[in-house]
C-alpha cells in the first residue's frame, strides 16, 4: 500500500447518498428501532460470507471460528457499538460499499420521491437502506473493520453530512465494529432492557448468537456484569416447527432476507422429506423493488446447505418470471462446496426448482381465490413480470395463464382485473374465440377502430397495452380450449355471432365495391398488401390489419424501437363502405385527386393505430389541399 493511502483522507459521498441520507433521517425518524435491525442484519450477512469463503480457505477463521454479533452501550460516552467477527472489509470494499450505493435505479428512485413524508418513507424502505439508517439516531458513525486474511484495518467515520474520512487503524481481530455516537435526545437507547427487547422483536431469527452483557440491579439501576448472555433464539427460523413461529417472526425474517421494510403479502413454509430432503420458506413481497424490470439483476433466494449459507441470489432456484420471490431454501443433500456451475447441472436443484415454482403458483392461486383484494395488490406490482411466464415455462403455462389479469371493454377502464375465466363466463352464445387487441398505450387500445363491430355487438375484447403483451400472446395461443384471436389480424370471422342475412349482405357489398377497391389498390401500390371491404368498422372510414401470420403493427414498432430488424410485412387496408368519405370516393374521377384521398385514408388508418407516417410532409400537404 502506498504512503498516500496510509494517511487520513477525506472523501465525498456520491450525490445520491447525500440526498438519501437527508431524506432518510427525516422520513424514517418515526421508526428509529430499525437502525439496530439493519445493522445486525448486515453483521449476519458478513458472517454468512465468511462461512462461504472459508469453505474454500479454512485459514480465514484463524483461531476464532465461533461466529457471533455483540451489542454494547456506554452511557458516559453516549455510544452504542455493534460488532461482528464476520468477513470484514478491505479499504476498497469500504469505499465501494459505504461511499456509494451499489444499486441500479438510484437516480430513478430519487426522481420518484414525492415530498410527502409518509409516502417517501415507504419508498425509502422499499429501496433498502441498510447501513445508512444509522444516521437516524446517530450524528456521527465510526466504523472500524479488518478483512479476514489481512492484517490491515481501516477506520471510516462520518457525520452523514456530505463526506467521510478514511484512515488506517489498529484492530486485533477480523470483522467490523460500528460505533453510533447518539444524537441529542436519543438516550432511550442507552438502556439494557430497551436494546434487548428491540433485538428480540426484530432479530430473534438471526442464526448467529447476538450477545450482550448480563445486567443486574444495583442501587436502583441496571448495571452490566462481565457475563455474556445470548439475547436471541439463534436458531435457523426456517428449521423450526411452523407451529412454534409467530406471524411477526415470519414477517421480521422476511425483512431480514429481503432488506424490505414492508410486510410480505403471503408466504409458504415447507419441509420436504423422502427421496430428497430440504426446507423452503418462500415469500411474495407486497411492493416491487426498483430494479424489478432489469432481467439481469439477481434473484432473491438464499441457498443454504445443512444450515450453512452457500450463496445469495441462487438464480437456478427460481425462473426469471418469478424473480420477485424472496426466501430461503436449505438442502440436506447438496455438497457444502457447491458452486454456481454445479447448480446448473444438478438434478437435485432441478427437482427443488420444479417443486418451488409449483408452491409459488399455489400461493398465488390461493391469494387470487381467497383474498382477491390482496391479489389485486400483487398484480399491480408484479403482473407484468408474471406475464413473461407462459413464454418461459411451458409446463406451467396453463396455470400461469389462469393467474393473468387484463383490462377489457367490459369495464373500459385501465384496471387489469379481468381473468380468462371471467372473460369465458361472459362470452356470447356461439362465441368461439377470446378476442384481444394490442397497442402501445391503453388509450390507443380502447379507442382503436378495430373494436367498432365488437362494441356494436356487445362482444368483450381484452385491451393489452403492456410491452410484454406482444410476447405473451405469441406464446399463449389458447386458454381452456378457446383460441386467442387478435381483432387486428387476419380475416374477421365472427362465426356464429353473425347471422346468414349479415353474411349475404357482406358478400353483396364486396361485389359492389370491387371496382373502388381495385382503384385504391392501384393508387397505393406497394404501400399495402391488399385493399378489401371491412366487416369490423361502423364509424371509421378505414383501418389497417396485419396478415394472419404477420407481425402486428404494434410488435413491429416495438422491435424497431429496440433496434431489431423486422421482416417489413405490408399491412392490409380495409375500407368501410358505409362511411361518407368512402362513398364520395366512388364519384371522384380526377385520378390525382383520387390518389391523394386514397393516401389520406391509409395515413389516417396508420395514425389511428399508433403508427408513424413515413412522409408526414406529404400527409400535411394533402390535408391542406383538401381543406383549401
Amino acid at each position: 500500500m502506498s504512503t498516500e493511502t496510509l494517511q487520513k483522507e477525506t472523501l465525498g459521498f456520491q450525490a445520491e447518498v447525500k440526498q438519501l441520507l437527508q431524506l432518510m433521517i427525516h422520513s424514517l425518524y418515526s421508526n428509529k428501532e430499525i437502525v439496530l435491525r439493519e445493522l445486525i442484519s448486515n453483521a449476519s450477512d458478513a458472517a454468512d460470507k465468511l462461512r462461504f469463503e472459508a469453505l474454500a480457505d479454512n485459514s480465514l477463521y484463524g483461531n476464532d471460528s465461533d461466529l457471533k454479533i455483540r451489542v454494547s452501550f456506554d452511557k458516559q460516552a453516549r455510544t452504542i457499538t455493534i460488532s461482528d467477527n464476520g468477513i470484514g472489509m478491505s479499504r476498497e470494499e469500504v469505499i465501494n460499499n459505504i461511499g456509494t450505493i451499489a444499486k441500479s435505479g438510484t437516480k430513478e428512485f430519487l426522481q420518484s420521491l414525492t415530498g410527502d413524508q409518509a409516502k417517501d418513507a415507504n419508498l425509502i424502505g422499499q429501496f433498502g437502506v441498510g447501513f445508512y439508517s444509522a444516521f437516524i439516531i446517530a450524528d456521527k458513525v465510526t466504523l472500524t473493520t479488518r478483512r479476514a486474511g489481512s492484517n490491515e484495518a481501516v477506520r471510516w467515520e462520518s457525520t452523514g453530512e456530505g463526506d467521510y474520512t478514511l484512515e488506517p487503524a489498529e484492530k486485533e481481530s477480523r470483522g467490523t465494529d460500528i460505533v453510533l455516537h447518539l444524537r441529542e435526545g436519543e438516550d432511550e437507547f442507552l438502556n439494557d432492557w430497551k436494546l434487548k427487547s428491540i433485538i428480540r422483536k426484530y432479530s430473534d431469527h438471526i442464526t448467529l448468537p447476538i450477545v450482550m452483557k448480563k445486567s443486574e440491579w444495583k442501587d436502583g439501576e441496571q448495571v452490566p456484569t462481565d457475563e455474556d448472555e445470548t439475547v436471541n433464539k439463534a436458531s435457523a427460523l426456517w428449521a423450526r416447527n411452523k407451529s412454534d413461529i409467530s406471524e411477526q417472526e415470519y414477517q421480521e425474517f422476511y425483512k431480514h432476507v429481503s432488506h424490505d421494510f414492508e410486510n410480505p403479502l403471503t408466504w409458504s413454509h415447507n419441509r420436504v422429506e423422502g427421496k430428497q430432503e430440504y426446507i423452503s420458506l418462500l415469500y411474495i413481497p407486497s411492493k416491487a423493488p426498483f430494479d424489478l424490470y432489469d432481467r439481469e439483476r439477481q434473484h432473491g433466494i438464499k441457498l443454504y446447505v445443512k444450515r450453512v449459507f452457500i450463496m445469495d441470489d441462487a438464480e437456478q432456484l427460481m425462473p426469471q418470471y418469478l424473480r420477485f420471490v424472496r426466501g430461503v431454501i436449505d438442502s440436506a443433500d447438496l455438497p457444502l462446496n457447491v458452486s454456481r456451475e454445479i447448480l446448473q447441472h444438478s438434478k437435485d436443484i432441478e427437482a427443488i426448482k420444479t417443486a418451488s415454482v409449483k408452491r409459488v403458483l399455489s400461493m398465488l392461486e390461493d391469494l387470487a381465490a381467497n383474498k382477491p383484494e390482496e391479489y389485486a395488490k400483487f398484480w399491480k406490482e408484479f403482473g407484468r413480470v408474471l406475464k413473461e411466464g407462459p413464454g418461459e415455462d411451458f409446463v406451467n403455462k396453463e396455470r400461469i395463464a389462469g393467474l393473468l389479469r387484463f383490462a377489457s371493454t367490459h369495464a373500459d377502464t385501465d384496471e387489469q382485473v379481468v381473468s380468462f375465466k371471467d372473460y369465458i363466463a361472459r362470452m356470447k352464445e356461439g362465441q368461439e374465440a377470446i378476442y384481444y387487441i394490442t397497442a402501445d398505450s391503453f388509450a390507443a387500445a380502447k379507442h382503436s377502430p378495430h373494436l367498432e363491430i365488437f362494441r356494436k355487438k356487445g362482444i368483450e375484447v381484452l385491451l393489452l397495452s403492456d410491452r410484454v403483451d406482444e410476447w405473451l400472446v405469441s406464446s399463449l395461443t389458447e386458454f381452456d380450449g378457446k383460441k386467442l384471436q387478435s381483432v387486428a389480424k387476419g380475416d374477421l370471422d365472427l362465426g356464429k355471432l353473425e347471422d346468414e342475412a349479415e353474411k349475404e349482405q357482406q358478400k353483396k357489398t364486396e361485389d359492389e365495391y370491387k371496382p373502388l377497391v381495385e382503384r385504391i389498390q392501384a393508387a397505393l401500390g406497394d404501400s399495402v398488401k391488399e385493399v378489401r371491404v371491412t366487416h369490423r368498422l361502423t364509424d371509421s372510414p378505414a383501418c389497417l390489419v396485419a396478415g394472419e401470420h404477420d407481425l402486428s403493427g404494434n410488435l413491429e414498432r416495438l422491435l424497431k424501437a429496440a433496434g431489431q430488424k423486422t421482416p417489413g410485412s405490408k399491412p392490409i387496408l380495409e375500407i368501410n363502405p358505409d362511411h361518407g368519405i368512402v362513398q364520395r370516393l366512388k364519384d371522384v374521377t380526377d385520378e390525382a385527386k383520387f390518389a391523394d384521398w386514397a393516401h389520406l385514408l391509409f395515413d389516417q388508418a396508420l395514425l389511428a393505430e399508433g403508427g408513424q407516417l413515413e412522409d408526414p410532409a406529404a400527409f400535411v400537404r394533402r390535408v391542406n389541399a383538401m381543406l383549401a
Side-chain angles (χ1 to χ4, degrees):
M1 199 182 263
S2 72
T3 50
E4 282 173 62
T5 55
L6 289 171
Q7 293 153 6
K8 186 168 182 173
E9 287 186 80
T10 301
L11 300 168
F13 281 123
Q14 251 183 326
E16 289 95 322
V17 177
K18 279 193 220 177
Q19 261 178 289
L20 198 57
L21 282 171
Q22 289 314 306
L23 274 163
M24 197 168 41
I25 291 162
H26 299 112
S27 301
L28 298 182
Y29 192 72
S30 57
N31 188 8
K32 296 183 275 190
E33 295 179 348
I34 58 160
V35 175
L36 220 54
R37 178 185 83 192
E38 292 294 304
L39 296 178
I40 287 172
S41 198
N42 286 352
S44 162
D45 288 348
D48 279 344
K49 284 178 181 140
L50 175 65
R51 277 193 189 127
F52 179 61
E53 285 194 21
L55 291 173
D57 178 6
N58 201 46
S59 70
L60 290 174
Y61 282 127
N63 54 8
D64 178 17
S65 58
D66 184 15
L67 300 180
K68 57 166 77 96
I69 299 166
R70 181 177 292 282
V71 176
S72 59
F73 64 98
D74 181 333
K75 272 191 172 171
Q76 266 60 50
R78 299 187 65 256
T79 59
I80 296 172
T81 304
I82 296 102
S83 301
D84 68 70
N85 57 349
I87 193 74
M89 288 181 277
S90 67
R91 185 178 176 285
E92 274 61 44
E93 285 171 323
V94 171
I95 294 173
N96 290 339
N97 295 341
I98 297 177
T100 58
I101 297 181
K103 255 188 188 276
S104 58
T106 312
K107 286 203 169 78
E108 294 86 323
F109 159 71
L110 288 163
Q111 281 159 7
S112 67
L113 296 171
T114 58
D116 174 326
Q117 224 160 295
K119 284 183 190 158
D120 285 354
N122 272 345
L123 282 171
I124 291 165
Q126 216 176 312
F127 187 70
V129 289
F131 174 78
Y132 300 112
S133 62
F135 289 102
I136 296 172
I137 61 169
D139 54 17
K140 184 168 83 170
V141 177
T142 308
L143 174 146
T144 309
T145 184
R146 182 177 132 190
R147 204 180 198 290
S150 163
N151 295 320
E152 288 168 349
V154 63
R155 178 170 296 117
W156 177 100
E157 193 166 87
S158 178
T159 55
E161 294 297 325
D163 53 30
Y164 57 91
T165 62
L166 265 185
E167 60 184 320
E170 292 297 317
K171 186 169 175 357
E172 281 179 28
S173 54
R174 62 154 200 271
T176 302
D177 304 332
I178 296 172
V179 182
L180 308 180
H181 304 263
L182 295 185
R183 293 177 183 278
E184 281 301 319
E186 299 300 347
D187 292 32
E188 60 174 313
F189 289 100
L190 299 170
N191 175 307
D192 180 78
W193 179 85
K194 171 83 173 172
L195 290 176
K196 284 174 183 167
S197 65
I198 292 172
I199 291 167
R200 288 189 183 109
K201 180 178 175 183
Y202 292 112
S203 307
D204 214 36
H205 57 265
I206 298 280
T207 50
L208 294 180
I210 303 168
V211 298
M212 282 183 71
K213 293 294 181 195
K214 262 189 177 166
S215 59
E216 56 184 36
W217 285 95
K218 212 173 188 180
D219 302 330
E221 65 171 343
Q222 279 190 310
V223 180
T225 65
D226 285 337
E227 197 185 337
D228 281 348
E229 70 168 321
T230 299
V231 183
N232 62 330
K233 287 199 177 87
S235 64
L237 175 123
W238 61 88
R240 285 158 47 193
N241 273 332
K242 281 199 242 188
S243 53
D244 297 340
I245 307 170
S246 70
E247 190 158 305
Q248 191 186 0
E249 285 178 301
Y250 274 124
Q251 289 170 345
E252 287 309 324
F253 182 69
Y254 164 74
K255 289 170 186 172
H256 168 66
V257 291
S258 66
H259 299 289
D260 187 359
F261 277 43
E262 302 268 334
N263 285 329
L265 270 182
T266 183
W267 58 85
S268 169
H269 186 185
N270 296 282
R271 186 185 292 272
V272 177
E273 286 167 340
K275 200 168 161 191
Q276 269 188 313
E277 262 188 65
Y278 66 92
I279 301 166
S280 67
L281 173 50
L282 304 171
Y283 291 91
I284 307 286
S286 56
K287 278 270 189 284
F290 276 81
D291 46 4
L292 181 68
Y293 295 103
D294 173 4
R295 285 174 60 92
E296 299 307 308
R297 69 177 286 284
Q298 292 172 315
H299 293 229
I301 304 292
K302 287 177 185 274
L303 175 65
Y304 286 75
V305 173
K306 302 182 185 74
R307 316 289 178 272
V308 176
F309 172 77
I310 300 298
M311 68 181 73
D312 256 333
D313 312 318
E315 66 271 21
Q316 291 82 2
L317 292 169
M318 209 47 78
Q320 277 278 4
Y321 73 93
L322 295 178
R323 59 184 176 273
F324 48 82
V325 177
R326 298 283 176 270
V328 162
I329 287 174
D330 187 346
S331 164
D333 306 320
L334 292 168
L336 275 172
N337 62 350
V338 68
S339 66
R340 289 187 190 270
E341 289 68 44
I342 292 172
L343 289 185
Q344 275 171 337
H345 308 293
S346 162
K347 284 202 168 78
D348 284 340
I349 283 292
E350 201 45 54
I352 291 173
K353 179 181 180 177
T354 302
S356 300
V357 168
K358 288 193 162 76
R359 288 223 194 294
V360 174
L361 295 178
S362 296
M363 262 196 279
L364 293 174
E365 285 162 348
D366 183 53
L367 213 54
N370 302 314
K371 296 181 180 172
E373 283 176 13
E374 297 283 282
Y375 190 74
K377 277 187 209 166
F378 160 79
W379 185 260
K380 219 169 181 173
E381 297 291 324
F382 303 107
R384 279 185 291 167
V385 178
L386 198 63
K387 283 179 177 179
E388 296 169 14
E392 286 180 20
D393 187 349
F394 183 76
V395 176
N396 294 301
K397 187 189 278 195
E398 194 82 2
R399 280 186 81 180
I400 301 163
L403 290 164
L404 303 179
R405 298 292 181 266
F406 307 97
S408 90
T409 53
H410 179 69
D412 247 358
T413 69
D414 62 356
E415 275 192 275
Q416 297 185 4
V417 292
V418 178
S419 68
F420 282 129
K421 260 195 175 142
D422 298 335
Y423 182 98
I424 290 169
R426 290 195 287 262
M427 274 167 72
K428 296 271 178 197
E429 199 177 329
Q431 184 180 342
E432 288 162 3
I434 295 169
Y435 292 106
Y436 70 85
I437 184 163
T438 57
D440 62 359
S441 71
F442 173 74
K446 178 180 173 174
H447 300 124
S448 169
H450 294 101
L451 300 179
E452 289 172 6
I453 189 70
F454 293 90
R455 289 193 185 280
K456 184 181 174 185
K457 289 181 173 289
I459 302 166
E460 187 173 356
V461 179
L462 301 176
L463 306 172
L464 311 186
S465 56
D466 288 336
R467 293 186 78 136
V468 69
D469 287 331
E470 287 285 0
W471 157 247
L472 171 68
V473 294
S474 67
S475 47
L476 187 69
T477 51
E478 61 168 55
F479 179 80
D480 201 12
K482 302 276 188 286
K483 187 179 169 215
L484 265 70
Q485 173 72 49
S486 167
V487 301
K489 280 178 90 167
D491 279 324
L492 179 66
D493 180 7
L494 292 176
K496 296 173 187 165
L497 296 171
E498 290 176 317
D499 58 32
E500 286 308 312
E502 279 181 300
K503 287 178 183 171
E504 283 287 313
Q505 183 56 45
Q506 283 168 10
K507 181 80 184 78
K508 206 168 148 191
T509 309
E510 278 172 29
D511 293 341
E512 184 190 332
Y513 277 81
K514 199 173 180 189
L516 179 64
V517 162
E518 285 170 355
R519 276 181 80 195
I520 296 173
Q521 176 94 51
L524 292 175
D526 284 346
S527 306
V528 290
K529 192 177 198 173
E530 71 170 293
V531 180
R532 63 191 182 201
V533 169
T534 192
H535 313 311
R536 57 187 108 215
L537 298 179
T538 57
D539 302 321
S540 302
C543 68
L544 294 181
V545 178
E548 187 71 51
H549 304 294
D550 293 341
L551 299 181
S552 71
N554 185 48
L555 179 55
E556 206 161 308
R557 285 190 292 279
L558 282 174
L559 290 172
K560 275 181 183 162
Q564 303 272 348
K565 279 205 166 109
T566 60
S569 46
K570 293 182 170 46
I572 297 159
L573 178 70
E574 291 193 349
I575 57 166
N576 176 6
D578 298 327
H579 199 280
I581 290 178
V582 175
Q583 287 170 357
R584 278 181 65 191
L585 257 180
K586 281 171 84 177
D587 306 326
V588 176
T589 50
D590 180 333
E591 286 307 320
K593 204 172 186 183
F594 182 88
D596 275 351
W597 278 74
H599 278 97
L600 273 176
L601 270 183
F602 177 83
D603 288 348
Q604 259 195 356
L606 182 60
L607 288 171
E609 66 156 41
Q612 281 188 313
L613 301 176
E614 284 214 358
D615 188 352
F619 173 74
V620 171
R621 183 176 48 73
R622 289 183 184 118
V623 170
N624 288 345
M626 193 177 80
L627 290 171

